[in-house]
Amino acid sequence: MAERARDDQGRALRIHQSLARQLGTAILSGEYRPGDVLGGEIEQSLALGVSRTPYREAIRILVAKGLLESRPKAGTHVTPRERWNLLDPEVLAWMFTGTPDPAFIRDLFELRGLLEPAAARLAAERRSPEQLSEMAAALAAMRDHGLATDEGRAADQRFHRAILAASGNLALASLASSVGAAVQWTTHFKQRASKRPRDPQPDHEAVYDAIAAADPGRADRAMTDLLRLAFEDTAAALP
Amino acid sequence: MAERARDDQGRALRIHQSLARQLGTAILSGEYRPGDVLGGEIEQSLALGVSRTPYREAIRILVAKGLLESRPKAGTHVTPRERWNLLDPEVLAWMFTGTPDPAFIRDLFELRGLLEPAAARLAAERRSPEQLSEMAAALAAMRDHGLATDEGRAADQRFHRAILAASGNLALASLASSVGAAVQWTTHFKQRASKRPRDPQPDHEAVYDAIAAADPGRADRAMTDLLRLAFEDTAAALP
DNA sequence: ATCTTGTTCTTGTATGAGTATATCCGGCAT
DNA sequence: ATGCCGGATATACTCATACAAGAACAAGAT
């Protein structure tokens, strides 16, 4: 008996959610390709063993994320890749359920290399005391749990998210969930691949210290170093 | 009689689409605030004069974009701002239907200032001949139509999109739609505000020339300049 | 006080009928 | 042959109704 998928808080996923995930991963993995037409909804929902209601809602979700488009008479098509919202947190998560493309990992780190050092620089200038203590708390949790545990990885995410939030830039902050998803999954791969991975705690401490000291230049450099090392670790863990 | 809303290609929007837009703009404009609960779906769909089906699909769309969350018994809540996918192209478009927050405009330009110069630099190194001619075509269309016309603004978007695509970075490229939406709306405001706006054509030509010459450093600087000037124009046009 | 259990409210799923719209295709004019 | 026009048709879209299931809350038991 297939166990029902669960969300990040242990709640059972509704049918439309798990359908969206199932179809989404199928599209991202290349099982469906851009231009492909999904069969009519009666046919598809019948084949999947669900009613049309949740099937249609799943389609709506995927349309909202740019993976599909549907029109009367024309049917439901997979959109060309350049329309996909690859940085949508859920899309990223779906992407990482399969075997991730090393080239895409590289792209993600390249993007993080543009965003996070700048965010760290801004955070050093603009952060509030509360934001600083949030970073400190996340750092402490990372140290206590280690990156081998879910709690540790969640703390890692919180640290990066806190920096993006402290940049005082809403557009940057809204990329936090995307960056967070990337952080989580790449860290996951690193941990799985090597038994004694390099300890990234000092890198994080250095970033924190620079932000705490309100030293933008040093924060920028520290984050750049952190990302370079993290990428090297990740690259080493990939096939 | 209310005229039915239309999409960017003149097609009439389906009910679920226009509902999503209506609710989305209401949320983004602050009419609904984070934590607010929408009434039950029967009640709401009745109030809006539609059946539950399209109402629910509209909710699914907004959930997919991070603006809402809904659970049985608890109802449908507006999520806290930091969960919103502000860079989703549709969300951005909804954002600009109302009066845009000048601080957010600044944030968007700050983000573009991180992404686009780097993309231009990479494009100078990696662009294919086809991508280069796409940029040239967009540039020519901009010159022919001018930014006062829809065609001209679309060409402007195509130019920036082509550069992001030519960066060879999928993650960057997938931000093209978001950047494009920002380009379109800010340009729109500029045009509306002043009768004789500064001509940005030379800025664009400079970026193109640098990319065509495969000169990364110059491409980076030219794009930085373009964005600085565009931001100054936009800032002058805002209240 | 804390846990357990049951009630009840809200969203979630199922189903069948009917509408609307974009595509396709055949006919007509050019 | 080519292009325009208009109807047939396939498909998604909307409606209405019924039932199922999850989760919050409160009353009761421990």
Side-chain angles (χ1 to χ4, degrees), chain B residues 17-29:
Chain B
Q17 288 172 320
S18 44
L19 267 186
R21 193 175 73 163
Q22 181 180 337
L23 293 173
T25 53
I27 293 171
L28 292 170
S29 73

Side-chain angles (χ1 to χ4, degrees), chain A residues 125-149:
Chain A
E125 297 167 349
R126 302 176 179 169
R127 87 287 187 286
S128 69
E130 292 76 24
Q131 290 166 335
L132 195 60
S133 52
E134 164 65 12
M135 294 178 212
L139 215 48
M142 271 183 71
R143 184 174 42 241
D144 292 348
H145 296 99
L147 288 182
T149 70

